[in-house]
Amino acid sequence: MLDFNTLAEFSRGNCISICAFLVPANLLVTISTMILVALRRPSYQVWQSAGIASFFASVMILHVYTWFMIGVVMAPTYILLCLAITCLVTNLTAILFQRHYSNSPSLFN
């Protein structure tokens, strides 16, 4: 059985390594989602990239909430939370943009 307290302690104990992975991963996969939309790639590629980016952002939000649970309220926690929320919103916007403009003709054709 999965113990949430043990998982939260693991998250807080390995904060530097978790953040060192999640911050660049969020940024890189979100940027790749935007590039895929700009290049008008197929929907499944955009959805796959946005899904991976949303997973990373959700893990970061959960990681930040483990710090909020013990009362750590500092600038880095809010910065990481804003980064994760921004990545989630950007990926949702990219999906909606791609879906809305996928049937419209290209400006360059």
Side-chain angles (χ1 to χ4, degrees):
M1 187 161 154
L2 186 63
D3 184 23
F4 183 72
N5 290 327
T6 305
L7 191 59
E9 282 297 321
F10 175 80
S11 175
R12 289 188 297 267
N14 296 304
C15 181
I16 300 296
S17 57
I18 290 172
C19 290
F21 172 75
L22 285 178
V23 170
N26 270 321
L27 293 174
L28 289 174
V29 182
T30 300
I31 290 170
S32 71
T33 302
M34 294 187 309
I35 291 171
L36 289 173
V37 170
L39 295 176
R40 295 184 178 259
R41 302 301 298 169
S43 295
Y44 72 90
Q45 290 180 350
V46 174
W47 276 86
Q48 184 179 21
S49 179
I52 293 168
S54 297
F55 174 75
F56 287 150
S58 299
V59 170
M60 184 179 287
I61 288 172
L62 292 174
H63 172 65
V64 169
Y65 281 152
T66 64
W67 284 104
F68 285 151
M69 284 175 25
I70 62 169
V72 175
V73 180
M74 296 175 18
T77 53
Y78 287 114
I79 291 168
L80 290 173
L81 185 62
C82 288
L83 173 70
I85 291 171
T86 302
C87 286
L88 282 173
V89 170
T90 302
N91 284 295
L92 177 66
T93 304
I95 289 173
L96 294 175
F97 184 85
Q98 191 256 355
R99 188 178 230 185
H100 184 265
Y101 290 105
S102 64
N103 294 333
S104 65
S106 175
L107 297 174
F108 302 109
N109 287 340

